[in-house]
Amino acid sequence: MSVSTTTATAITGTGVWHPEGVITNEELCVAFNAFVQRDNARHAEEIAAGTREALKESSAEFIEKASGIKQRYVLDRTGLLDPDRMCPNVPDRPDDQLRVQAEFAVRAAERALAAAGRAGADVDLVVLGASNLQRLYPAISIEVQDALGASGYGFDMAVGCSSATFAVQLASEAVQLGKAKCAVVVVPEMTTGHMNWRDRDSHFIFGDASVAAVIEPLASVDPARARCAWELVSTRSMSKFSSNIRNNGGYLNRCDPARADATDRLFYQQGRRVFKDVVPLAAKFIGEHLEAHGLTSADVRRFWLHQANQNMNELIARRLLGRDATRLEAPLILDEYGNTASAGSLIAFSKYSDDLPAGSWGVMASFGAGYSLGSLLVRRI
Ligand code: CO8
């Protein structure tokens, strides 16, 4: 476990961007069920002979009840809703054009910089954190740095759904060490590319979105410039190995030709086990972080939790508060966005933070594959 307690830094602006395409649960299930019917018809003889199990249909009612998700934003509806394709159509771009993930990042970064009253030329560090990286090199953050007209340096990092909180922590520490004066954390989660849209257990989970945050020294915060600034009082992170959420996609995949069509190169999970593990783990992790600062959950005005599952968040908030949280104490964005991987808690923060008065305490918390957990203790300036 690593703990940082004197981050004299602040989040001076955030920005959210998502593609315009929307897929509702109902639309998603129409496509999925058409695929199921076709697949079962194709294998009718084996199914009748008992040598193959028939695929089961999905339902919009199940999805909303089990997860709280009602819809998700997606870059490409066409490929996802085509029962013969079930994969987003994202044409490759020439090397002299901004790639999709960098474009996601730049769009959110521009909004975050505007909120912070900063320009791209002010930026001297870009940390890109995302659960999936589009390519290996050059680092996507460096492409973003170039597109923003920033100086300094950039790097990419991935820690599943804790990529954003870990990235904020690293950027904050760089500012704290004097290595950067104006860092931008970009979290371009183009998640629809890593899902197995033919898997009934998980086809409904993720959506595409991008979020960014500007991090500067606390001493340089100017309320006239940055309308909604929050001191990053403390950051905490933790990891504990588990294979319950996994994606074996990687550069060595082609080296095992026998497994060219393996579906474990896409997202898969033991959802029930994860659910059971995460509730006590996350509540303890956040509670201990607060305790280390002489705070209790009652002192916290808002918890911006990872946005994977409404039932999970309600249970975690109940453990922390000893009662049900109100919608504003633990806001949800997953009903509209789906699970946006590591972007979720930061999107919730961006959308639900400017109403709180100066001095308010808040916690952003992520829990994700790895397992990985991140907690950011913040106070409104
Ligand atoms: N349509 C209709 N029925 C379905 C469907 C479907 N699409 N899928 C499953 N069912 C059926 C099953 O067949 C089963 O039927 P039966 O009882 O007859 O066998 C029944 O519904 C229940 O199935 P499950 O037990 O699989 O369903 P759950 O109630 O567990 O819900 C979830 C599935 C929503 C995926 C749930 O398990 C979940 O959210 N788990 C938590 C993990 C998670 O959120 N994953 C998201 C991505 S990873 C991530 O964001 C990080 C999460 C936390 C990390 C932890 C770090 C410490």
Side-chain angles (χ1 to χ4, degrees):
M1 188 178 290
S2 87
V3 186
S4 162
T5 51
T6 53
T7 50
T9 61
I11 298 176
T12 54
T14 57
V16 179
W17 178 85
H18 61 75
E20 280 176 12
V22 175
I23 297 183
T24 64
N25 291 344
E26 289 75 15
E27 288 174 299
L28 190 67
C29 289
V30 168
F32 182 88
N33 294 342
F35 151 73
V36 166
Q37 286 155 20
R38 287 179 200 188
D39 197 80
N40 287 342
R42 202 175 304 128
H43 299 100
E45 280 181 20
E46 294 145 271
I47 293 168
T51 54
R52 186 185 174 100
E53 218 173 295
L55 296 180
K56 291 181 190 155
E57 294 193 358
S58 184
S59 91
E61 297 72 41
F62 168 84
I63 295 171
E64 190 173 338
K65 191 160 171 283
S67 69
I69 295 166
K70 295 180 179 156
Q71 62 163 52
R72 70 283 296 141
Y73 296 106
V74 298
L75 185 63
D76 174 61
R77 276 170 50 89
T78 322
L80 293 174
L81 294 179
D82 175 354
D84 292 322
R85 170 107 173 105
M86 298 183 86
C87 175
N89 292 312
V90 186
D92 255 342
R93 297 176 183 178
D95 285 355
D96 61 357
Q97 275 181 26
L98 203 62
R99 288 295 165 104
V100 167
Q101 200 172 22
E103 187 186 323
F104 265 55
V106 168
R107 286 176 186 270
E110 285 170 345
R111 291 180 182 185
L113 286 167
R118 291 291 188 196
D122 297 322
V123 175
D124 53 3
L125 170 62
V126 177
V127 184
L128 186 147
S131 54
N132 297 282
L133 296 172
Q134 186 177 1
R135 65 161 182 266
L136 300 178
Y137 44 83
I140 297 153
S141 53
I142 301 174
E143 194 180 0
V144 174
Q145 177 195 16
D146 184 60
L148 292 176
S151 60
Y153 64 107
F155 60 88
D156 298 350
M157 47 160 288
V159 203
C161 288
S162 286
S163 301
T165 55
F166 279 41
V168 168
Q169 174 173 331
L170 278 175
S172 172
E173 285 165 357
V175 172
Q176 198 181 343
L177 288 168
K179 292 174 77 179
K181 284 199 172 68
C182 180
V184 174
V185 170
V186 283
V187 187
E189 290 285 13
M190 204 309 218
T191 63
T192 53
H194 82 143
M195 284 177 60
N196 182 353
W197 295 86
R198 298 189 171 98
D199 174 32
R200 177 176 178 255
D201 289 348
S202 62
H203 77 113
F204 54 87
I205 293 178
F206 289 98
D208 296 330
S210 180
V211 65
V214 179
I215 294 161
E216 300 181 69
L218 184 63
S220 72
V221 172
D222 173 3
R225 182 172 51 76
R227 211 176 40 81
C228 181
W230 288 74
E231 180 184 354
L232 259 166
V233 178
S234 165
T235 64
R236 184 175 274 215
S237 42
M238 180 196 154
S239 51
K240 185 177 187 293
F241 186 67
S242 165
S243 287
N244 287 339
I245 310 167
R246 213 169 155 119
N247 182 336
N248 289 321
Y251 80 106
L252 289 178
N253 288 163
R254 73 190 178 108
C255 304
D256 185 353
R259 302 193 72 248
D261 297 324
T263 52
D264 68 348
R265 281 103 186 249
L266 295 168
F267 168 90
Y268 64 103
Q269 68 165 355
Q270 305 291 331
R272 268 285 142 114
R273 277 198 222 156
V274 173
F275 196 108
K276 278 196 185 132
D277 287 349
V278 72
V279 174
L281 202 59
K284 185 167 178 280
F285 177 69
I286 297 166
E288 285 177 356
H289 191 191
L290 290 172
E291 206 180 307
H293 292 273
L295 297 168
T296 70
S297 297
D299 298 312
V300 175
R301 291 289 297 268
R302 199 155 290 167
F303 291 94
W304 301 278
L305 301 176
H306 173 53
Q307 302 285 315
N309 183 301
Q310 178 173 351
N311 305 323
M312 202 154 78
N313 283 15
E314 285 173 357
L315 284 172
I316 293 168
R318 197 179 300 153
R319 278 198 182 219
L320 283 165
L321 292 165
R323 58 170 172 79
D324 289 338
T326 64
R327 272 306 272 257
L328 270 183
E329 283 173 323
L332 286 176
I333 57 114
L334 61 84
D335 50 348
E336 177 187 348
Y337 284 77
N339 183 340
T340 50
S342 76
S345 53
L346 206 48
I347 294 177
F349 171 76
S350 184
K351 292 196 161 288
Y352 292 94
S353 51
D354 62 1
D355 59 315
L356 292 174
S360 302
W361 288 99
V363 173
M364 251 175 281
S366 67
F367 15 100
Y371 294 139
S372 55
L373 294 99
S375 172
L376 309 175
L377 177 63
V378 292
R379 187 167 44 189
R380 179 83 194 253
I381 296 166

